[in-house]
Amino acid sequence: NIKKEYLFISNGAADVLFKLALTVKPGRAVLLAPTFADYEKALRTVDCKFTYYELQEEKNFIAGYDLLKKINSRVDLVVICNPNNPTGVLIPVQILASIAECCKDNKIRLFLDECFMDFTGREEENSLVEKLKEYPNLMILKAFTKMYAMAGVRLGFGITADTEVIEQMYQAGPPWNVSVLAGASGKAALKED
């Protein structure tokens, strides 16, 4: 039930991340630590600087409200993996909503990787997909890689109400970024339970 103009379909989830970095060229980003290494790798391609929010074992690797202290006017992008990779921990929805509000209020882009969300069985209560219109600065990352075991096929997508950034992302690479095989595989996978 997502408008097709809200979708950026690409050659895997990593390609979405690299195209977003190339398109918006953030100067400074906030990242969780530990988290998926490709966020930093993609952002380094555009000379982005980083501030880290360190997840702590004694707090069960849960991001808290103190993450909001890292989000300020010097930040262009906040990258969050929910549930986080490698910890597998979900950010409580109240904290995630506060992060989204803070980013919106400060005109900061929020990149939310929900590639593992389907495994939680709690997508409806934890995903921000239903909030896209409320947060036009939000881009949610999804992929067929994990849930449909299609890693080698390379099919991922970004979802955002910011249709202008989607158009710019399509312009940032070749027009054939999704193969016929990947497209057909994705259509077939969506018919599966």
Side-chain angles (χ1 to χ4, degrees), residues 1 33 41 45 64 66-67 76-77 94 107 110 127 138 152 164:
N1 298 321
K41 184 178 178 184
T45 66
D66 56 335
L67 172 55
D76 302 304
L77 177 69
Q94 303 87 347
K107 295 179 176 44
L110 174 59
S127 175
L138 170 65
E164 186 176 316

Side-chain angles (χ1 to χ4, degrees), residues 45-167:
T45 66
V46 294
D47 296 322
C48 184
K49 306 292 183 242
F50 309 100
T51 300
Y52 298 95
Y53 175 84
E54 295 191 24
L55 300 167
Q56 299 172 10
E57 184 176 9
E58 57 272 11
K59 294 181 180 178
N60 297 319
F61 300 105
I62 298 173
Y65 285 105
D66 56 335
L67 172 55
L68 296 171
K69 294 176 188 172
K70 302 271 185 185
I71 304 170
N72 56 52
S73 61
R74 296 186 315 268
V75 174
D76 302 304
L77 177 69
V78 175
V79 179
I80 294 177
C81 189
N82 195 40
N84 191 31
N85 173 10
T87 66
V89 176
L90 278 165
I91 295 175
V93 70
Q94 303 87 347
I95 294 173
L96 195 56
S98 294
I99 293 165
E101 281 295 326
C102 183
C103 287
K104 179 181 173 183
D105 292 346
N106 290 288
K107 295 179 176 44
I108 298 168
R109 189 166 301 278
L110 174 59
F111 185 83
L112 183 59
D113 182 341
E114 291 188 356
C115 286
F116 288 97
M117 185 65 73
D118 295 337
F119 290 109
T120 69
R122 297 169 43 198
E123 305 90 283
E124 285 188 29
E125 63 198 72
N126 288 289
S127 175
L128 290 188
V129 169
E130 297 296 324
K131 305 276 189 184
L132 290 169
K133 280 189 177 180
E134 189 176 334
Y135 301 114
N137 59 316
L138 170 65
M139 176 169 278
I140 296 175
L141 181 66
K142 295 279 193 174
F144 286 78
T145 306
K146 283 82 175 173
M147 193 64 169
Y148 296 105
M150 292 174 43
V153 178
R154 307 302 309 147
L155 184 61
F157 56 101
I159 317 166
T160 182
D162 186 348
T163 56
E164 186 176 316
V165 81
I166 288 176
E167 182 57 35

